[in-house]
Amino acid sequence: MDVAYVCEWEKRPKSNHCPSIPLVCAWSCRNLIAFTTDLKNEEDEKDLSHMIHIIDTEHPWDVYSINSGHTEIISCLEWDQSGSRLLSADGDGQIKCWGMTEHLVNSWECTMGSAVEGDPIVALSWLHNGVKLALHVEKSGSTNFGEKFSRVKFSPSLTLFGGKPMEGWLAVTVSGLVTVSLLKPSGALLTASESLCRLRGRVALADIAFTSGGNIVVAAADGSSSSPVQFFKVCVSVVNEKCRIDTELLPSLFMRLTIDAVRREKYPAVTHLKFLTRENSEQVLLCASSQMGSIVECWSLRKEGLPVNNIFQHRSPVVGEKQPTILKWRILSATNDLDRVSAIALPKLPISISNTDLKVASDTKFCPGLGLALAFHDGSIQILHRLSLHTMGVFYGPASCGPSQRVGEESAIKRQRGPGPAAHFKALQFSWTSLALVGIDNHGKLHMIRVSPSMGQMLDMNTLLRHLLFLLEYCMVTGYDWWDVLLHVQPGMVHNLVEKLHEEYMRQNQALQQVLSTRIVAVKASLCKLSSATAARACDFHAKLLLIAISSTLKSLLRPHLLNTPDKTPGDRLAEICAKNTDTDIDKVMINLKTEEFVLDASTLQSLQQLIQWVGDFVLYLLANLPNQGSMVRPGFGFLRDGPSLGLLREMMVVIRIWGLLKPGCLPIYTATSDNQDSMFLLFRLLTKLWLCVRDEGHPQEPDEPLIDECCLLPSQLLVPTLDWLPINDGIICKLQGKHPLRLQFGKPHSLPGLGPGPPSQVEVFSRTPGSQRMDHLRCLHMGVCPTEDSKACTRCGCVTMLHSPNKTTAVKQWEQRWMKNCLCGGLWRRVHSSMS
């Protein structure tokens, strides 16, 4: 393990170092991190312990601090399954739900909340939505995504009419209450509270898990290692428009250390209680501690046969009678005496823990999802196997912040320690693929730690690529962000990963390919940015995303002339005719279409002019660069051999030609050297010739000399535009391939050239000069050299667009609403002010 980056407050706030103040941290599936601190600002004595801080991992310095309104210390933070809403709970029983304002990751507001007045919350969770995926390492070599990642039968905690899961949350209080809040479709909130059992007692620690049957299981402990850890089944229902909670006591357990009087006295307090996963209520992790050390135990709930008394042994059995069984907790494993544990992180990757999968994972050294992380008061972190609890890897703490050290290295163990309290992690969380850890230490620093897929074991390149490919495919299927996978991709791996990802994608059935069609392009684009050799291909993939979006939008505007039309839409017929008709004359292709299906009002056509202009400029740019096609470092190289994309461009040219007859003002504007030059006719002819060369993907042909000669003459006939190919991504992923940690400061923006050691980033090759025009990449508009409008930028690709629409026409609104929640690449939006854009 090694540090990817460290973020700290610009002016070091004063730490309380109060052990009673817990720090909490939560990592969403969209790579947003929410955390709290126990700090006070030295200058204005502002208490930060009641604030929630939210960052995206690509821009960790851009911290958004929410004045939460909590009057007591925040004890729990929980993201929902979509990664877009956040729950917070405090020591006064207040629970608040936070949502993004205008879908911006750096703008949040409290949308609703509930309370159990004066009763501190010790555990909090969203209700389960019934979606569970299992990841099978055994099937990692399969060509079918459905076999690698199978949907597990799992019932939601509560369903509405038709089986739709009902949203809501559940919390456990220190006095033994369980409180549930349900969000009705109307927006109203139903709340109810119930005691976990008849004899209420203090609950110092609790955790929540879900069963496949839709029940909820709560584990609770009073904090003493001599007391039992109790388990309760909680059933939630809605009866007569009121929320109802039913609870039932389940088998409990005593920690194994209670049978040893010495250890029972040595570790008097239970400090951590966690289910190994939220969807598995049959495995629990317990940690008992003292000021000097800790011990960890892993328990499993098993069904065992109930022994029958000797009196009934000789009774003749009844046909079909089964031996009575009982559920009993059995200890799986336990550690020896450890240093004092300060935080625990459990893996989120839903790896199947069948014996076959565990054996394959061991043989292939595939470790993500198998390890849990323990942080200690000396600043170190150990990764332990989730079942056997044997050590898989060690990180030697914030003081080392350097290249990874192996277990047992004397230089790391004998490191010098500075004066004052040792830095140690008070909150720790795994990423959603378990390839990264985020930790908050007691000095207010946020550490991002890279976790090797093989836990530092030596792997050959093919095996490492297969592991990373497996996790990239998992992110594609689930829709989770793959930023933490990119942490482990070296520039030399990019080309092979992109090729192998495409091969696996092409092996899927047609329906799944259609679902993943844009997601795989976004994954390829983010991979290609990591290497200077493939940076130009990142430009091509971004342009391809925009082309697909424009094509589907323009086709969706076409309407059949008669209502009783056959199954094919006008867009389908357009694609079919353009694929069959190989004529280089655009007017002859147009004659075969039913032009009445293309009739739109003039205002709609005019409002789409900037998208039409982009298509026209893009075709001209590609053809003008055909003579330079031998160079892979030039943007556009990928399109010149991409038959389907050239076919899309050809279809768009035909549609634009028809619309130009209705509204000449919507046509793309070209600067030609001749007044009688029919630019669209010329470009369509050359585009068709190029498309004919590469439309057969199995046997593509090189463009002939006459075509290349004609393309060489294009710059003398038409003014070739300079396209804003790649949005400038000011994130840090491109600088994290090395082993040197980056040191950043909250609230202090950094640009790529100023980050860390190493050669200039490949993104700088395509960056614009300071005096160049700024582009709205989604509206295809120029915003001027110094934009005055506030904008939003994609956290993943850096795509910039204005926050508010300058156009009010229906067609443009439909285009813009496609990108309200997410960017072209699926990334989230963050607000950037006019001075930064």
Side-chain angles (χ1 to χ4, degrees):
M1 293 192 291
D2 57 62
V3 174
Y5 58 65
V6 182
C7 283
E8 57 186 86
W9 302 99
E10 185 172 3
K11 291 185 178 178
R12 181 73 56 80
K14 186 177 180 181
S15 177
N16 297 329
H17 297 295
C18 177
S20 64
I21 297 180
L23 298 192
V24 285
C25 175
W27 193 330
S28 83
C29 62
R30 307 298 299 276
N31 274 329
L32 298 178
I33 295 173
F35 62 98
T36 64
T37 67
D38 62 348
L39 303 174
K40 285 188 177 180
N41 192 296
E42 289 179 335
E43 294 184 352
D44 56 10
E45 290 297 318
K46 187 177 181 181
D47 192 351
L48 301 180
S49 61
H50 296 163
M51 300 191 77
I52 302 170
H53 312 286
I54 297 177
I55 63 168
D56 73 272
T57 53
E58 183 72 335
H59 306 85
W61 57 84
D62 187 13
V63 61
Y64 183 76
S65 298
I66 302 171
N67 191 353
S68 66
H70 286 292
T71 55
E72 294 292 332
I73 300 299
I74 296 169
S75 56
C76 302
L77 290 174
E78 284 290 327
W79 290 100
D80 72 346
Q81 290 87 350
S82 68
S84 57
R85 287 184 301 178
L86 179 70
L87 287 178
S88 63
D90 67 11
D92 191 39
Q94 300 288 329
I95 302 172
K96 297 190 176 187
C97 178
W98 303 89
M100 296 183 195
T101 308
E102 296 183 307
H103 308 288
L104 300 170
V105 299
N106 52 0
S107 183
W108 295 78
E109 62 181 355
C110 180
T111 55
M112 64 192 81
S114 61
V116 186
E117 295 294 343
D119 207 351
I121 306 294
V122 293
L124 180 67
S125 174
W126 290 89
L127 296 180
H128 204 283
N129 63 358
V131 177
K132 183 185 177 185
L133 209 66
L135 183 143
H136 302 281
V137 183
E138 178 192 4
K139 302 288 181 65
S140 60
S142 171
T143 58
N144 187 349
F145 286 175
E147 293 179 1
K148 295 180 185 180
F149 320 109
S150 64
R151 181 79 177 263
V152 179
K153 190 175 181 181
F154 210 88
S155 298
S157 304
L158 190 62
T159 54
L160 295 165
F161 179 76
K164 183 181 177 182
M166 192 169 190
E167 293 183 316
W169 58 81
L170 173 139
V172 180
T173 72
V174 75
S175 69
L177 276 181
V178 57
T179 177
V180 175
S181 299
L182 304 177
L183 182 60
K184 295 175 67 177
S186 63
L189 204 62
L190 290 179
T191 60
S193 298
E194 185 64 55
S195 176
L196 279 172
C197 60
R198 290 181 181 178
L199 297 175
R200 284 173 65 182
R202 178 175 181 266
V203 176
L205 300 164
D207 199 20
I208 300 164
F210 302 93
T211 68
S212 58
N215 294 321
I216 303 162
V217 177
V218 174
D222 65 5
S224 171
S225 61
S226 301
S227 301
V229 178
Q230 295 183 298
F231 296 84
F232 306 91
K233 182 170 78 172
V234 178
C235 300
V236 182
S237 56
V238 176
V239 180
N240 297 328
E241 293 295 311
K242 291 184 178 180
C243 179
R244 176 179 168 181
I245 304 171
D246 296 302
T247 62
E248 177 186 334
L249 185 63
L250 296 177
S252 303
L253 66 88
F254 281 92
M255 290 188 71
R256 193 176 69 171
L257 62 85
T258 57
I259 63 175
D260 184 340
V262 176
R263 280 196 163 178
R264 189 169 63 239
E265 293 178 6
K266 188 176 180 181
Y267 304 113
V270 178
T271 53
H272 298 87
L273 164 62
K274 299 275 187 183
F275 286 107
L276 281 184
T277 66
R278 274 282 160 91
E279 285 94 5
N280 186 355
S281 61
E282 297 175 357
Q283 287 182 337
V284 70
L285 191 78
L286 298 165
C287 175
S289 305
S290 66
Q291 291 295 322
M292 303 305 295
S294 299
I295 189 169
V296 175
E297 296 179 1
C298 183
W299 289 74
S300 178
L301 185 65
R302 295 178 180 174
K303 189 178 286 187
E304 296 183 358
L306 196 63
V308 180
N309 192 285
N310 291 335
I311 297 174
F312 304 103
Q313 290 289 350
H314 303 292
R315 182 176 65 87
S316 47
V318 180
V319 177
E321 185 180 23
K322 294 181 181 179
Q323 182 186 10
T325 58
I326 188 172
L327 290 172
K328 205 167 188 179
W329 285 99
R330 292 289 184 186
I331 190 162
L332 275 180
S333 52
T335 63
N336 296 321
D337 295 346
L338 302 169
D339 287 333
R340 189 177 166 200
V341 173
S342 60
I344 292 180
L346 296 172
K348 296 184 176 75
L349 196 68
I351 184 170
S352 172
I353 53 172
S354 66
N355 291 332
T356 310
D357 273 318
L358 290 175
K359 185 179 185 306
V360 172
S362 176
D363 293 343
T364 60
K365 300 176 182 176
F366 180 84
C367 297
L370 284 181
L372 56 92
L374 301 182
F376 299 96
H377 272 262
D378 66 353
S380 65
I381 296 175
Q382 285 190 29
I383 306 285
L384 305 184
H385 193 282
R386 60 187 287 184
L387 299 180
S388 65
L389 296 184
H390 70 258
T391 303
M392 301 172 69
V394 179
F395 172 71
Y396 288 99
S400 61
C401 284
S404 169
Q405 302 281 353
R406 293 190 179 181
V407 180
E409 283 191 3
E410 291 295 321
S411 59
I413 294 173
K414 295 179 179 178
R415 67 192 183 282
Q416 294 294 319
R417 297 186 182 183
H424 63 270
F425 295 104
K426 295 186 71 177
L428 204 62
Q429 274 268 317
F430 266 112
S431 68
W432 282 69
T433 61
S434 302
L435 291 185
L437 274 168
V438 64
I440 313 295
D441 71 18
N442 56 329
H443 292 301
K445 293 181 185 176
L446 180 143
H447 300 254
M448 179 65 66
I449 301 161
R450 187 172 11 218
V451 182
S452 165
S454 63
M455 277 318 156
Q457 302 174 80
M458 295 303 294
L459 290 182
D460 63 272
M461 184 56 72
N462 285 336
T463 306
L464 179 57
L465 285 175
R466 191 163 66 247
H467 290 174
L468 295 177
L469 181 67
F470 189 43
L471 293 172
L472 284 173
E473 291 168 350
Y474 169 72
C475 290
M476 276 174 49
V477 170
T478 57
Y480 296 159
D481 199 291
W482 53 89
W483 182 89
D484 44 340
V485 182
L486 299 182
L487 282 175
H488 301 270
V489 178
Q490 297 298 317
M493 304 177 186
V494 171
H495 180 74
N496 286 336
L497 267 178
V498 171
E499 295 302 315
K500 289 179 183 293
L501 192 65
H502 183 73
E503 289 173 12
E504 292 297 319
Y505 168 78
M506 294 305 293
R507 290 172 180 160
Q508 308 311 309
N509 60 58
Q510 198 64 38
L512 186 56
Q513 282 189 29
Q514 192 169 357
V515 170
L516 303 178
S517 59
T518 54
R519 206 172 287 168
I520 187 174
V521 178
V523 175
K524 289 178 181 177
S526 54
L527 282 170
C528 287
K529 284 184 182 179
L530 302 179
S531 168
S532 56
T534 55
R537 294 189 67 186
C539 306
D540 293 351
F541 289 129
H542 187 272
K544 187 170 183 177
L545 286 171
L546 187 54
L547 172 61
I548 292 170
I550 291 175
S551 171
S552 60
T553 298
L554 298 188
K555 285 182 180 179
S556 69
L557 295 172
L558 307 181
R559 293 289 181 268
H561 185 57
L562 300 172
L563 292 178
N564 56 344
T565 54
D567 296 335
K568 290 181 181 178
T569 65
D572 293 334
R573 283 195 293 277
L574 169 69
E576 186 178 322
I577 289 170
C578 288
K580 287 180 180 178
N581 193 324
T582 59
D583 206 306
T584 58
D585 188 330
I586 189 170
D587 295 324
K588 289 182 179 177
V589 176
M590 189 174 65
I591 289 172
N592 295 313
L593 293 166
K594 297 178 180 178
T595 52
E596 62 270 13
E597 295 180 339
F598 293 77
V599 175
L600 293 176
D601 62 272
S603 61
T604 299
L605 292 176
Q606 191 60 49
S607 66
L608 296 169
Q609 202 279 329
Q610 68 265 25
L611 301 182
I612 292 171
Q613 183 70 45
W614 185 88
V615 173
D617 287 347
F618 189 61
V619 171
L620 175 55
Y621 179 93
L622 286 181
L623 294 171
N625 280 277
L626 181 61
N628 303 314
Q629 53 157 336
S631 173
M632 283 188 67
V633 298
R634 292 186 66 87
F637 174 83
F639 274 92
L640 299 177
R641 286 163 174 75
D642 185 352
S645 294
L646 293 177
L648 269 185
L649 285 169
R650 199 164 168 267
E651 293 168 23
M652 292 300 97
M653 294 285 282
V654 173
V655 172
I656 293 167
R657 183 74 163 191
I658 297 172
W659 284 347
L661 300 175
L662 303 172
K663 176 69 176 176
C666 77
L667 287 171
I669 300 168
Y670 296 104
T671 305
T673 54
S674 172
D675 292 337
N676 57 358
Q677 172 75 58
D678 188 342
S679 303
M680 286 202 69
F681 184 90
L682 171 64
L683 293 176
F684 184 84
R685 182 168 59 82
L686 298 177
L687 179 64
T688 302
K689 287 183 178 181
L690 178 59
W691 170 69
L692 289 172
C693 294
V694 297
R695 65 172 176 165
D696 184 1
E697 293 187 36
H699 304 282
Q701 301 173 3
E702 291 297 319
D704 54 21
E705 289 298 327
L707 174 58
I708 293 176
D709 290 342
E710 285 192 83
C711 290
C712 283
L713 293 174
L714 265 181
S716 63
Q717 297 170 300
L718 298 169
L719 180 64
V720 180
T722 55
L723 290 183
D724 193 356
W725 276 95
L726 185 67
I728 298 177
N729 185 3
D730 60 347
I732 60 172
I733 192 66
C734 297
K735 282 288 183 177
L736 295 179
Q737 275 77 35
K739 298 296 182 183
H740 299 284
L742 298 178
R743 290 200 163 275
L744 310 168
Q745 291 179 336
F746 288 123
K748 189 173 181 181
H750 282 257
S751 57
L752 276 173
L755 284 179
S761 167
Q762 75 281 351
V763 179
E764 294 169 41
V765 178
F766 301 105
S767 63
R768 267 69 63 194
T769 57
S772 62
Q773 289 269 351
R774 306 289 181 178
M775 280 289 294
D776 183 321
H777 297 107
L778 286 185
R779 296 183 178 90
C780 303
L781 293 172
H782 290 282
M783 297 193 295
V785 177
C786 298
T788 55
E789 290 286 329
D790 277 356
S791 305
K792 57 185 180 182
C794 175
T795 56
R796 181 185 291 157
C797 71
C799 178
V800 175
T801 185
M802 285 180 281
L803 201 56
H804 303 292
S805 174
N807 201 321
K808 303 300 181 185
T809 58
T810 305
V812 174
K813 281 184 179 177
Q814 289 174 350
W815 168 257
E816 291 169 350
Q817 282 171 357
R818 293 170 66 106
W819 321 115
M820 288 292 290
K821 293 183 179 180
N822 302 107
C823 172
L824 275 167
C825 68
L828 295 168
W829 295 113
R830 66 187 185 101
R831 182 194 293 264
V832 290
H833 295 288
S834 54
S835 58
M836 296 170 60
S837 61

